[in-house]
Amino acid sequence: MADEPETKQQERDQKSGAGALDVARGAAGSAASTLRSGVFAVRDVYAASKRHSSARSALRDMTEALERDQATLERREELEAGYDDIVAEQSRIIEESGKELEAQQKKIDAAEREASELENRLAQLRENNEQELRPYKRISETAKGRLDEASRGVSEAKRAVKTAEAQVRDATDEREQSIASANRAIDSSQSRLRKVQEELSRAQKGGGNAATVRQLQNEVTTELAHVEAARADVSVVTKEAQATVDAAQTHLWTQKQSLEEAQREVDAAKREYETKKKEYEELLAKAQEAEKKHEDRIAELREAADEAKAAYDEAAEQHDNASALLDETEEVHATPEATEQLRRSIAQQQIAISEQEVLVSSLAEGERSLRTRTRGARLALLGAVVAVVVLIVLIVVLAVTAQ
């Protein structure tokens, strides 16, 4: 009997657990149902949107096709309405442009033929001119070479004159220095002679002993000899120094003569070169003038050919456009059944477009209605997805924190 309350408690616990499990199962079932509803709602909305988009794209293609066919029909009706005038006008243009093409082609052929002939003559003229001018050019270059050589001779002669002038200056300076030195030697000897003569005079007047007087007399004689020798040296130094100066001046005069001769050679070479150069340049200018006349004429012919080609292209374009329009007009006039068939096709397309517009409007309304009805389910699915993402992030954060 003591175990009876415990048994009842276990029964109550079992009943309570079973009730909780039923609740959990019910909640899980409800959540799964909500997710399925959301997934189906998203799928249905996507399908409805795709059907609507496809129908709208088809309507756009049908409309563009209709516009093209309408433009084609308008063109065919316009050509058919003006058939006689178009045929007459385009035929006239074709005839006139054909004549213009023929005339411009003749101009092109004539201009290019003459230009080609002139180019050949120009090439031959240049070759002839080069052969004729070659000797004159060579003579001019030879004269220039002689002028350059003579100019170098003048430069060398000028340097020789400068050297000779420096030698004259050096010889003159040396002469002056040598003469001055010799004159200073005379002055020194005369000064010593006067001193000895004064001492001799004092000794003679003062009654000096005979030995002193004789010694002073000997010194006077010696100094007189020195004075005479110094005077002789002045004459010798003067002559020798002057001879050196004269030789330097003679050498300078010779170099100046050489310079003058070199300058005369330069002047003659320059005159010859200028004469030969002028002769060559005159012949060259004459040859170039003749060549330029050919070149100018060739340029004029090439320009005329280009203008004729432009006129030819313009006439060809007019001819092609007129031919194309005439062919198109003839084709439209010859196939009235095609125009009528196109007209019927346009009427059928207009009906189909009207039906397609109704379908597009219906699909658009259906898509809007479906979106409104399934808004709650789609939001619930979005919330569930967000919750799962948040849960995953939370688990990752907790895992990282636990590490």
Side-chain angles (χ1 to χ4, degrees):
M1 297 296 293
D3 294 335
E4 185 177 353
E6 183 176 352
T7 301
K8 291 181 178 180
Q9 182 63 37
Q10 289 177 353
E11 291 177 354
R12 285 196 297 270
D13 291 342
Q14 289 176 355
K15 291 181 179 180
S16 176
L21 180 60
D22 291 337
V23 172
R25 288 176 178 172
S30 177
S33 176
T34 300
L35 290 176
R36 282 196 303 273
S37 298
V39 171
F40 292 153
V42 170
R43 182 197 61 187
D44 293 343
V45 167
Y46 174 75
S49 175
K50 188 174 181 180
R51 288 193 299 273
H52 179 208
S53 177
S54 298
R56 192 168 57 246
S57 177
L59 176 61
R60 181 171 60 253
D61 294 340
M62 294 168 66
T63 303
E64 291 176 354
L66 175 62
E67 291 174 352
R68 289 194 298 270
D69 287 348
Q70 286 176 333
T72 302
L73 178 61
E74 290 176 2
R75 175 68 174 174
R76 294 179 69 89
E77 290 175 344
E78 180 183 356
L79 294 178
E80 182 61 32
Y83 173 77
D84 294 334
D85 293 338
I86 293 173
V87 170
E89 177 65 17
Q90 300 311 310
S91 298
R92 181 189 64 79
I93 293 176
I94 291 173
E95 182 180 1
E96 292 179 354
S97 60
K99 294 179 180 178
E100 182 68 13
L101 288 172
E102 184 178 356
Q104 295 303 328
Q105 186 61 54
K106 290 181 179 179
K107 289 182 180 180
I108 294 171
D109 294 340
E112 290 184 342
R113 183 172 55 254
E114 184 179 353
S116 180
E117 293 173 355
L118 279 176
E119 285 178 343
N120 293 333
R121 289 204 292 270
L122 176 60
Q124 185 62 45
L125 178 62
R126 285 172 174 167
E127 183 178 352
N128 295 338
N129 289 337
E130 184 179 359
Q131 291 178 355
E132 293 176 0
L133 291 173
R134 189 178 295 119
Y136 295 95
K137 183 179 181 181
R138 188 180 300 113
I139 291 173
S140 176
E141 291 174 347
T142 302
K144 181 63 166 61
R146 284 196 292 269
L147 174 59
D148 293 340
E149 184 177 355
S151 298
R152 287 193 294 270
V154 168
S155 299
E156 293 174 358
K158 286 181 178 178
R159 287 194 293 271
V161 167
K162 289 183 179 180
T163 301
E165 288 175 344
Q167 291 173 350
V168 169
R169 287 194 298 272
D170 294 341
T172 302
D173 293 341
E174 186 175 355
R175 181 192 64 183
E176 298 301 329
Q177 293 173 2
S178 298
I179 292 174
S181 177
N183 286 327
R184 285 196 297 273
I186 291 176
D187 294 339
S188 298
S189 297
Q190 287 179 344
S191 176
R192 288 195 298 272
L193 176 60
R194 285 193 298 272
K195 290 180 179 178
V196 173
Q197 287 175 341
E198 290 176 356
E199 290 179 1
L200 177 58
S201 178
R202 286 196 297 271
Q204 289 174 345
K205 291 180 181 179
N209 58 46
T212 300
V213 171
R214 281 195 301 273
Q215 183 180 358
L216 290 174
Q217 287 176 343
N218 291 335
E219 290 179 3
V220 168
T221 301
T222 300
E223 293 301 328
L224 283 172
H226 287 164
V227 169
E228 292 300 325
R231 286 174 179 172
D233 287 342
V234 168
S235 177
V236 172
V237 167
T238 300
K239 289 180 180 180
E240 292 178 351
Q242 187 61 44
T244 302
V245 171
D246 292 342
Q249 288 178 340
T250 300
H251 179 65
L252 174 61
W253 180 84
T254 301
Q255 296 303 322
K256 286 184 176 180
Q257 291 299 112
S258 298
L259 175 59
E260 291 176 0
E261 179 63 24
Q263 189 63 54
R264 284 193 293 270
E265 291 179 0
V266 166
D267 294 339
K270 185 177 181 180
R271 287 192 299 271
E272 180 186 7
Y273 168 65
E274 289 177 349
T275 300
K276 300 302 181 183
K277 179 184 177 184
K278 182 179 180 182
E279 183 180 7
Y280 169 70
E281 288 179 346
E282 288 176 351
L283 292 173
L284 178 62
K286 185 177 179 181
Q288 290 176 341
E289 183 180 359
E291 293 174 5
K292 190 174 187 305
K293 288 181 180 179
H294 282 66
E295 292 171 353
D296 292 343
R297 178 56 182 163
I298 290 171
E300 291 175 0
L301 290 170
R302 293 300 183 193
E303 184 177 358
D306 291 339
E307 292 176 355
K309 288 178 181 178
Y312 181 92
D313 293 339
E314 183 178 355
E317 183 178 2
Q318 292 177 353
H319 186 278
D320 293 342
N321 292 338
S323 297
L325 180 57
L326 182 60
D327 292 343
E328 184 183 5
T329 303
E330 292 289 1
E331 189 275 334
V332 170
H333 183 68
T335 56
E337 67 280 2
T339 302
E340 184 59 30
Q341 182 180 358
L342 181 60
R343 191 176 289 112
R344 289 195 299 271
S345 174
I346 289 174
Q348 293 173 357
Q349 290 180 61
Q350 289 173 338
I351 294 173
I353 288 174
S354 298
E355 294 175 351
Q356 187 69 16
E357 288 175 346
V358 172
L359 176 61
V360 169
S361 298
S362 175
L363 291 174
E365 180 61 29
E367 180 183 353
R368 285 193 296 273
S369 176
L370 182 60
R371 288 180 181 277
T372 301
R373 291 197 312 272
T374 61
R375 177 180 177 82
R378 288 185 288 113
L379 290 177
L381 176 62
L382 177 62
V385 171
V386 172
V388 170
V389 172
V390 171
L391 180 60
I392 292 172
V393 172
L394 181 60
I395 292 171
V396 171
V397 172
L398 291 174
V400 172
T401 305
Q403 291 179 355

